[in-house]
Amino acid sequence: MQMPEKTGFDLLEELDYVPLVVFITAYDEFALQAFQVNALDYLLKPIEPERLTETLKKLEKKLEELKKEDEFTTDAPKDKLALNDQVFVKDGDKCWFVKLANVRLFESDGNYIKVYFEKISL
């Protein structure tokens, strides 16, 4: 629950899209708060195999429900980005939102990513 400079709850508040969350901790004092932020489950250490199995079944059920909802709504999160989606690109002090349709290649370069916008030959 504790991370450098913040808690797991702080992180959840910062997210635009909150994923399914299962808290696993040795402390029972945060259980109520976890369910207030819609945690799927709250497991106490040491984790009992039966309890973990129960949580995994909850997760499978919830994923099936979300999959069915996704068939009927366009507001559900997408698994893949489309050409009209945008990505955030930062170069030094400059920042842009760039449509994927304008990107020709992403190349890994150590801890950085190079973004190519013009046609290239490989």
Side-chain angles (χ1 to χ4, degrees):
M1 307 282 283
Q2 292 294 328
M3 300 180 297
E5 301 179 20
K6 64 177 76 176
T7 69
F9 295 111
D10 296 331
L11 176 64
L12 287 175
E13 287 179 14
E14 294 173 8
L15 297 175
D16 292 330
Y17 167 73
V18 180
L20 297 175
V21 176
V22 174
F23 284 93
I24 301 174
T25 180
Y27 305 100
D28 62 358
E29 62 207 53
F30 301 107
L32 181 60
Q33 190 176 2
F35 289 109
Q36 288 173 337
V37 295
N38 296 319
L40 183 67
D41 212 341
Y42 193 93
L43 299 175
L44 288 174
K45 295 178 185 176
I47 300 171
E48 298 174 10
E50 299 84 18
R51 187 70 178 87
L52 179 58
T53 299
E54 189 179 305
T55 298
L56 291 173
K57 286 180 182 177
K58 278 186 191 179
L59 178 60
E60 287 175 346
K61 182 179 178 184
K62 187 65 175 178
L63 288 172
E64 279 299 316
E65 289 172 7
L66 291 173
K67 186 177 177 182
K68 287 179 183 175
E69 286 177 18
D70 191 32
E71 293 172 2
F72 298 106
T73 179
T74 58
D75 294 335
K78 297 183 275 185
D79 291 335
K80 297 179 182 176
L81 295 174
L83 288 177
N84 286 326
D85 289 325
Q86 295 182 337
V87 293
F88 182 77
V89 176
K90 183 174 189 236
D91 182 16
D93 292 334
K94 297 177 183 176
C95 302
W96 301 273
F97 280 102
V98 178
K99 277 190 177 182
L100 285 176
N102 297 331
V103 175
R104 297 295 172 235
L105 174 70
F106 289 102
E107 179 181 36
S108 176
D109 186 15
N111 291 334
Y112 299 93
I113 299 291
K114 291 181 181 178
V115 181
Y116 294 89
F117 297 97
E118 301 201 15
K119 290 186 179 181
I120 62 167
S121 57
L122 297 176

